[in-house]
Amino acid sequence: MIDFGTLHLGSEAFEAASPILWSDCTVNRILLLVTAVLFLITLSDYINLWPMLTDCLVRSRGNVSMEHSLGDARNRNTAFYISLLCFCLLADRYHLLGTGIPESFRPEFRVAVTAALIIAYLLLRYLIWALILIVEPPGKADSEMRAVMHKGPRNYFIVAVALMLVAVAILSTFAGETVVRVALWAILGVMFLYMLVRIGQIFRTHCSYLATFLYLCTLEILPLGALTVAALFMQDIV
């Protein structure tokens, strides 16, 4: 008989490689630190801004008051950009744009890809607004009212991100990632619909109901649809 020898295996089972946690990525840690520092630097302006943000929630004219004050509008823009950075981190951490992005890129590049999609959405919205002003400006709105129509959604985005951070702080202690993701999407959806109502009221003061509907579809819903399609496309190609 032929002795083929004996195959000796270790008595211990092979351990699967531990998945890399989002917080283990150095890039994510650095961005979290930068965001925290920026937030602390602008905390006093952020606190002073909240009464006006609350006014924007209560009535549509609050957006006009915000834009009328140059100082408040400047602080709002700063808070918006910081909130945008927070949102990019949240979107990447909880896969708000789908699972295709996290699975198809190295951990240190994932938040950059998420940010690129969001920036593309903002650029598309800006181009659409510029085209609207050239082709069919909204009624007889002056420059201040046009600024409200264009930048008013920033007020609601800041509130939405603040609520999202609170939701993460509360839910992450006892709920799973899926629950947190659904809660974040719910906050985004409700605030987006609320923003459409308030900004639509601003448009309605200068346009007909039909024109207001068309403006909102073109300026707000079309870029959001493009972002959704882009995110789905990335999932399909991985």
Side-chain angles (χ1 to χ4, degrees):
M1 298 198 48
I2 301 176
D3 183 8
F4 290 100
T6 305
L7 178 63
H8 297 280
L9 296 176
S11 59
E12 297 181 357
F14 290 104
E15 295 184 358
S18 301
I20 299 177
L21 298 177
W22 188 86
S23 57
D24 291 338
C25 180
T26 303
V27 173
N28 294 338
R29 289 182 176 182
I30 294 175
L31 290 176
L32 282 174
L33 179 61
V34 170
T35 303
V37 171
L38 291 176
F39 179 76
L40 291 175
I41 292 175
T42 60
L43 181 59
S44 60
D45 294 334
Y46 200 82
I47 293 175
N48 294 333
L49 195 63
W50 266 100
M52 299 201 71
L53 291 174
T54 304
D55 191 32
C56 293
L57 295 175
V58 174
R59 62 193 185 99
S60 60
R61 295 292 299 180
N63 296 282
V64 181
S65 300
M66 175 76 77
E67 214 63 44
H68 185 69
S69 173
L70 295 179
D72 290 328
R74 182 172 58 251
N75 292 337
R76 185 276 314 279
N77 291 337
T78 301
F80 169 73
Y81 293 122
I82 295 176
S83 298
L84 196 61
L85 180 56
C86 289
F87 179 76
C88 289
L89 295 174
L90 287 173
D92 180 60
R93 169 62 182 83
Y94 292 100
H95 306 172
L96 297 183
L97 299 183
T99 58
I101 296 174
E103 293 177 353
S104 56
F105 293 92
R106 292 172 59 87
E108 59 268 25
F109 297 143
R110 293 170 188 169
V111 68
V113 176
T114 301
L117 283 175
I118 296 172
I119 291 173
Y121 158 80
L122 294 175
L123 288 176
L124 177 60
R125 186 180 179 277
Y126 178 82
L127 291 175
I128 290 175
W129 176 248
L131 186 62
I132 286 176
L133 293 182
I134 295 174
V135 177
E136 189 65 33
K140 297 181 180 180
D142 56 21
S143 59
E144 182 176 275
M145 291 303 297
R146 292 180 180 180
V148 174
M149 296 170 180
H150 178 46
K151 299 178 181 180
R154 297 182 179 184
N155 303 325
Y156 303 94
F157 180 78
I158 295 171
V159 176
V161 172
L163 294 176
M164 291 170 70
L165 291 174
V166 172
V168 168
I170 296 175
L171 294 177
S172 60
T173 59
F174 62 87
E177 184 170 313
T178 301
V179 175
V180 176
R181 185 185 303 113
V182 171
L184 296 183
W185 270 120
I187 293 172
L188 279 175
V190 170
M191 289 304 299
F192 182 77
L193 293 175
Y194 195 83
M195 178 274 295
L196 288 179
V197 172
R198 290 304 187 202
I199 299 301
Q201 291 172 341
I202 298 294
F203 272 98
R204 180 65 189 89
T205 59
H206 299 84
C207 311
S208 65
Y209 283 107
L210 177 59
T212 297
F213 174 76
L214 294 176
Y215 279 126
L216 291 177
C217 287
T218 304
L219 183 61
E220 306 297 346
I221 298 178
L222 179 60
L224 182 61
L227 174 62
T228 303
V229 170
L232 292 175
F233 176 76
M234 293 194 68
Q235 295 183 59
D236 290 336
I237 63 177
V238 295

